[in-house]
Amino acid sequence: PLKVPGERAHDRDIQITQDWLDFTQKRPASDSQPFFGFLFYDALHAISHPQGFKGPFQPSWDKVHYERLSDDLDPTEFWNFYRNVAYFEDSLVGLILSDLQTRGLLENTVVIITGDHGQEFNENGKGYWGHNGNYSQAQVGVPLIIHWPGGTPATFDHWTSHYDIVPTLMRDLFNCRNEIRDYSIGRYLDDSSPRDWMLVGSDDHFGIIEPDRI
């Protein structure tokens, strides 16, 4: 569904997890047709978890106290609260992965886990908290974890972009041989050649990140 019921972000995240599990349960084991799923978890964006949930990272706030944010605030309790929300979200993702594995689907399913932006906790000492405030590494850096059946485990530390995901899928999953420039400004994720610039932004403003300036 395009809209998920639920009063708070974590309620909706629980619901989309259950919706997906319902889908895989109803899917016949003999069904060999490819399927696609997109699950947008929002609790980490809203920074909320169920009341009474106690994560492992302590001491922690029990909710976000935006009124306390300042240049000289010790971010520890806020940071721990954020990490506890991530821990809650990870538990939901774990349910999805375990279900795929139990049904024998993980062995032939590409799984991509990423985020749409980072979250700043005044790392740069300029009074920025959250996201949508600048284009520093704290706000544009996101995790990108890919489970690729038959792939060789590897860790890359070169610049990559969300724009690189589609070309990689087109080449390695859909056997497309068009030049990337036909349909994307990205590269293949395993292309470690230096980049002169990278486009970042949202639907209303953009930035160009270069090796020595933004």
Side-chain angles (χ1 to χ4, degrees):
L2 295 180
K3 294 191 68 175
V4 180
E7 181 178 352
R8 308 210 35 198
H10 58 259
D11 297 322
R12 296 188 291 274
D13 288 356
I14 292 171
Q15 185 61 53
I16 63 170
T17 302
Q18 188 57 56
D19 288 345
W20 178 263
L21 295 176
D22 290 343
F23 162 73
T24 56
Q25 182 178 12
K26 294 174 183 176
R27 184 176 179 273
S30 59
D31 189 350
S32 61
Q33 290 296 312
F35 60 87
F36 172 82
F38 176 76
L39 283 72
F40 189 93
Y41 287 99
D42 198 31
L44 200 56
H45 179 104
I47 316 183
S48 71
H49 59 54
Q51 186 175 7
F53 177 85
K54 186 175 179 63
F57 305 104
Q58 301 297 328
S60 169
W61 284 351
D62 58 349
K63 64 178 181 179
V64 179
H65 297 280
Y66 291 106
E67 74 282 1
R68 299 184 190 176
L69 301 182
S70 66
D71 289 358
D72 56 358
L73 173 73
D74 180 350
T76 301
E77 292 188 50
F78 185 15
W79 170 233
N80 282 342
F81 180 53
Y82 184 79
R83 291 202 291 170
N84 286 329
V85 175
Y87 186 84
F88 164 73
E89 295 282 62
D90 284 350
S91 71
L92 300 180
V93 174
L95 294 175
I96 300 295
L97 296 177
S98 295
D99 179 68
L100 289 173
Q101 187 172 36
T102 298
R103 299 182 187 283
L105 297 171
L106 196 57
E107 61 193 33
N108 59 7
T109 300
V110 174
V111 179
I112 300 175
I113 301 174
T114 189
D116 56 347
H117 56 71
Q119 189 81 1
E120 187 166 358
F121 292 85
N122 199 28
E123 287 94 337
N124 295 301
K126 298 181 180 294
Y128 286 103
W129 298 86
H131 58 275
N132 203 30
N134 60 51
Y135 294 115
S136 68
Q137 177 63 29
Q139 295 195 32
V140 302
V142 298
L144 176 58
I145 303 169
I146 300 178
H147 164 75
W148 199 288
T152 301
T155 299
F156 299 112
D157 57 9
H158 58 265
W159 276 17
T160 60
S161 164
H162 289 107
Y163 291 114
D164 302 341
I165 294 176
V166 166
T168 303
L169 292 175
M170 293 291 281
R171 179 192 66 178
D172 296 341
L173 190 63
F174 299 115
N175 200 33
C176 175
R177 293 295 176 256
N178 286 55
E179 293 288 338
I180 295 177
R181 64 175 178 265
D182 288 349
Y183 58 87
S184 174
I185 63 170
R187 297 182 176 187
Y188 300 127
L189 283 168
D190 58 4
D191 183 351
S192 61
S193 59
R195 284 179 128 122
D196 296 326
W197 59 274
M198 183 177 293
L199 177 67
V200 294
S202 63
D203 56 358
D204 57 358
H205 56 86
F206 297 89
I208 301 292
I209 296 181
E210 298 177 341
D212 60 347
R213 66 173 180 167
I214 301 173

